[in-house]
Amino acid sequence: MTKKIKLSELGNLFGGLDVQALEGVKIEGDVEIDLGQMGMNPQMAYALGHETAQLALHLMNISRILGYPVDQMLGASPAKPARLTKLIESKFSVGKIEEWKTPIQEVVLGATSSDGGTRKSTITLGGETALPYYFDSPMPHRNHITMDVFDMPINMAKAVKSNYEDVINSPAEWAKKVVRDFGADMVTIHLISTDPNIKDTSPAEAAKTVEEVLQAVDVPIVIGGSGNPEKDPAVLEKAAEVAEGERCLLASASLNLDYARIAEAAKKYNHVVLSWTQLEINAQKELNRKLMKQCNVARENILMDPTTAALGYGLDYAYTNMERMRLAGLSGDAELNFPMSSGTTNAWGAREAWMVSSPLKEDSDWGPREYRGPIWEIITGLTLSLAGNDLFMMMHPTAVQVLKEITQTLYGGKESEPVNIDNWVGAVL
Amino acid sequence: MKLNSPLQVYKYLPQINCAECGDATCMAFAAHLIDRSKKLDDCPPILKDEYKKKYLELQALLAPEIREITIGTGEHAKRIGGDDVLYRHQLTFFDPTAFAYDVWDTMPEAEFLERINRIANFRKFYVGKFLKVDMVAVRCVSGDPLKFAGAVKKASETTKLPLILCSFDPAALKSALEVVRDKNPLLYAATEKNWGEVAELALNYKVPVVLFSPDLDKLKSLALSFREMGIKDLVLDPGTYPQGKKLKETFEKFIMLRRAGIKEGQKDIAYPIMAVPLNAWLVYKDAVTASYWETVLSSVFTVRYGDIMILHSLEPYAMLPEVHIRDTIYTDPRTPVKVAPGVNEVGSPTKDSPVIVTTNFALTYYTVESDLSSNKINCYLAAVDTDGIGVEAAVAGGQLTAAKINDTFQKANFDFKDKTSHGTLILPGLAARLQGDVEDVTGLRVMIGPPDSGRIPGWMEKSWPPKPK
Ligand code: SF4
């Protein structure tokens, strides 16, 4: 408030203020005073409230100039901080992010009979126009989870293995179990026995396993190779053929193998390609570009996996890598605005997830490992979900259940039980 | 901060290039102020009276967007807030989220002390340091100010960690403040109802204070009012709902507050934010479920803008992921995670001690090194320069090769004939496929260690010393 006032006008105002102590002060002359520049006397402010206090203060100052003993009259003491008698009213508001103009590509996995497949339902990923769960705009599709099934028994952490002992020799039964008992949205069949260093199963043999899994469950599936760059293209090609029309996710095309052959199989048999790179944003752009421009894979048939590192083992890179890609995509980078997938199972590589106890004597007790493993998988996945990851490849049923609960809560799909959070301070827990 | 180039900072510096700050020029020092790797007070000349005006101006311009406040005193004091960016890759996040674990004034004494000691003694080794937790939050459950003050006193006698005094009753807060008035505790909390009296306490005892309201208009009102009264060390608690749509709203509020503070420069609410994952315990009674959900909430708000939080579960399966996710988010992405390549001694190796190879990726190196020293295994540990890539990826990517391993020993002038009686080198289990190559290039005998260095002690028992050829 900045008001100019003439000393000659002060007389009138004076009467309105109930400041007896100042009565009798005579003010003469016609000097202009700026009533907004000077600080407030806290004592007066406290007594009178904000508006009138300022005026009174100036009267006091004037009086002082005129030689009137104001300070003695008020019993002035060293300045105390201001006190308020009521809260300053205010409204909070914040804007949306203008740069987020480009939606993430929508990708459909699975095909029903009306689209040439045999799945009972399909899953749509992508379509976001903001970071996940942000108020700027709602996420069009929730996160989804695909659970791992292997075509042969493998080494697993004890806490994981105990869930699969009854189905470990049958990929079809294993697939049924994760859908029926553990709530998997999808199933990933990993054809690891095809690795020449493991069993060297032929592509034709491996394709049979894929057919069995497709018959055992009616959810969309992911077909994974063994990770052997020489063998994978042939394995995925054959698998794509027997799964024709099902819109499976072929995992994966990468820069260190014949990605064109995998892209070709996806186009020919109507599948989606998983574009996999290792924690390198430029490599991801390059591979996506090659798939689009050189192999002519349509945008709606590309998903990307920029690599998942476990909590404590490089998750900082994996997280920031994904967050940067998602921000770039939303801001218009057409080489990066694809939905993302995470190999969340990698969390089990962390020794904290599976070791009986810490190998270091200086560490506090690590406690029972059966509780450590699932939470390691949950937090690894959750962190990446906040960076923009859409699809999670997972392994432990408890981890799946909890990750679903939190991602669907942040998505807006869960109701709250009434709870009085003001009470936490005095709560008996 | 309001400046974004070293040139802008340079204008305010003495420009005499005296190098007292450790940089050769004022411009170089200016660059450190911009990336926040040095503080203005590191320049002695500018502290002199003649530069006072520039010093004050520059200090205001360099202040982080989110106010930085200190809780506690001495070496255990914690700073919170202090952030300048919304995403860590844009610079880095500062002042890692402070984790406070609760105790309450109705606990039996022995339990109370045991719990505080568990909080204070928690540690987890990681990349050359220990991850720890930071504070003790004392809750007034009794409703009795004297009892509360007694508990706070006991807590302050048991630990040097900073305290959070939790009660909505100003009388309880006051009696607790009396016993820890010189410890700079954090007051929890001022609300719409008690704000006048709590403000009075914050002013009289000069302590930081939390403002609580799930209504952001009211929260801003409180912040404005406290600021007007001269209280600057504020923390905002917009309420942590533990579940469902209300939890989603809580998440959105954290984003809104931080975006307003950093992107829109709204100084009125640019304060550290508090989350209370402990609220998971209000809806889940089963301890494992509640601990899991609390860890989930804690992680969500570590990633998205929580600066301080109050937690309950002391289960290792809750605390371990909590401290790791915090480290994940607050690790400086600008710092290379490498150690210097070379051959290092662990303990006091003799001629009969093993020689073990690993990479110079800091995480790998420190993990192996601590596994060895913690188990009192005297040995030589070679860090091969793999550009900071871990063993498995470096073998696949060609950064860990026989030639590089040989190089590492040659550069370090490590002569196996001289230093060892056995002429043997141990490769990590994950680099087993290099065995033949390394034998050919070095002419040494090569053994394959376990795939995880945590298993080296067991491996040593079975395989060391090597059997004579
Ligand atoms: S100490 Fe200050 S004046 Fe001297 S070189 Fe460094 S920045 Fe410049």
Side-chain angles (χ1 to χ4, degrees), chain B residues 13-21 23-26 29 42-45:
Chain B
L13 293 174
Q15 308 181 1
I16 52 173
N17 300 337
C18 71
E20 280 188 63
C21 55
D23 288 311
T25 63
C26 294
F29 182 67
D42 295 337
C43 162

